[in-house]
Amino acid sequence: MEKVFSADGTALAYERRGSGPVVVLVGGAFMTRGDFAPLAGLLADRFTVITYDRRGRGDSGDNAPYDVRREVEDLDALIGRVGGEAMVFGMSSGGVLALEAVARGSAVSRLALYEPPFVVDATRPPLPADYVARLDDLVEQGAYGDAVAYFMTAAVGLPAEVVEGMRQAPFWAGMESTARTLPYDGRIMGDTMSGRPLPADRWRSVTIPVLVGSGDAGAAHMLGGARELAARGDNYTLHTFPGQDHAIDPTLLAPVLTGFFATSAERQSS
């Protein structure tokens, strides 16, 4: 484990594997750098793979008040430490964070996302208007288990009785340990889970190649959101993974990412 300091002084924990062009992996809700270990191992034969704990998670620090710009600065600090430019893969809301970073000028040459959790149609209910405010209240009260449960019902869409049963599962404690950052992901998503089309101007400045992945066996709104994002311009490409849902098999994801990122690496070396 290594650490780098962001612009506001927050210490960020990260690890590097392999050698070659740099690929940074950005996790979604609940994820820490360890969750990417299988994927990072599969990519490390071709790339220097960077995994990190987003602020407030794992071995990384945090500083108030939160702003999405702080997480963009975190990614910038990390990229600056490992070479000054990188390719990036973002999972779920981590993909939206990475997209936001590119739009704000981060030194990213290629971006791949898997299932940014947009809700752009009526295939599922939109997030409640007070979703982030309610998460803030639960976190402020220290009710981390209730915050996880609210996320699982309101954002993921699981029935309350299913979530109640999950509280006894071994993985629940791990989710509680990062629950204080759930409002961060809510702010990153903004109004993109409202059931309305994606904002026309939010990522207009993104001109680098973007690969948008989605499974065809998961929630319909995930594939719908991926399709809408991929239709934004010629620099976007949609890749559908047969038989996959939000928990994609890394052995299926890794070859697609390798092909996408290797194209950039070959151009740089020619």
Side-chain angles (χ1 to χ4, degrees):
M1 184 188 76
E2 303 175 62
K3 287 197 173 182
V4 65
F5 289 90
S6 191
D8 71 344
T10 298
L12 305 169
Y14 71 97
E15 296 180 15
R16 67 177 86 202
R17 297 173 176 84
S19 60
V22 176
V23 175
V24 179
L25 309 184
V26 184
F30 301 118
M31 294 183 71
T32 59
R33 68 186 193 277
D35 293 309
F36 272 133
L39 179 61
L42 292 167
L43 296 174
D45 286 344
R46 295 285 301 274
F47 308 102
T48 299
V49 184
I50 307 298
T51 57
Y52 75 107
D53 292 331
R54 285 174 48 194
R55 62 173 52 215
R57 307 181 188 186
D59 293 305
S60 288
D62 202 359
N63 280 305
Y66 179 80
D67 190 287
V68 176
R69 290 180 301 166
R70 301 286 85 80
E71 290 222 62
V72 172
E73 291 169 352
D74 295 348
L75 188 55
D76 288 343
L78 191 59
I79 291 173
R81 169 63 63 88
V82 298
E85 183 177 90
M87 298 174 287
V88 173
F89 168 71
M91 179 71 190
S92 191
S93 55
V96 183
L97 170 58
L99 189 64
E100 190 69 18
V102 174
R104 295 181 186 222
S106 295
V108 177
S109 59
R110 283 198 163 215
L111 172 63
L113 305 81
Y114 185 74
E115 292 204 339
F118 301 134
V119 180
V120 297
D121 52 33
T123 53
R124 57 147 285 173
L127 282 188
D130 63 347
Y131 170 74
V132 173
R134 185 165 177 187
L135 278 177
D136 280 336
D137 288 343
L138 291 170
V139 168
E140 186 175 345
Q141 296 166 27
Y144 298 134
D146 291 341
V148 173
Y150 183 60
F151 172 87
M152 299 302 289
T153 53
V156 179
L158 293 179
E161 59 272 19
V162 171
V163 175
E164 191 60 32
M166 291 169 61
R167 285 179 179 264
Q168 311 308 315
F171 57 76
W172 189 266
M175 292 196 295
E176 283 195 19
S177 71
T178 58
R180 62 183 298 273
T181 65
L182 287 173
Y184 300 178
D185 290 276
R187 288 180 168 86
I188 288 166
M189 296 307 299
D191 61 357
T192 62
M193 299 181 74
S194 64
R196 300 186 298 272
L198 294 174
D201 296 329
R202 183 168 173 185
W203 304 298
R204 186 180 296 277
S205 60
V206 175
T207 58
I208 63 170
V210 180
L211 179 70
V212 186
S214 183
D216 67 0
H221 75 278
M222 292 285 191
L223 184 53
R227 284 172 172 162
E228 182 167 322
L229 179 64
R232 295 179 78 89
D234 293 339
N235 58 312
Y236 290 81
T237 302
L238 177 69
H239 186 98
T240 304
F241 291 83
Q244 295 300 296
D245 56 18
H246 203 53
I248 188 171
D249 182 343
T251 65
L252 300 178
L253 177 59
V256 175
L257 293 182
T258 296
F260 178 65
F261 290 139
T263 300
S264 178
E266 290 165 1
R267 288 177 178 173
Q268 290 176 7
S269 63
S270 61

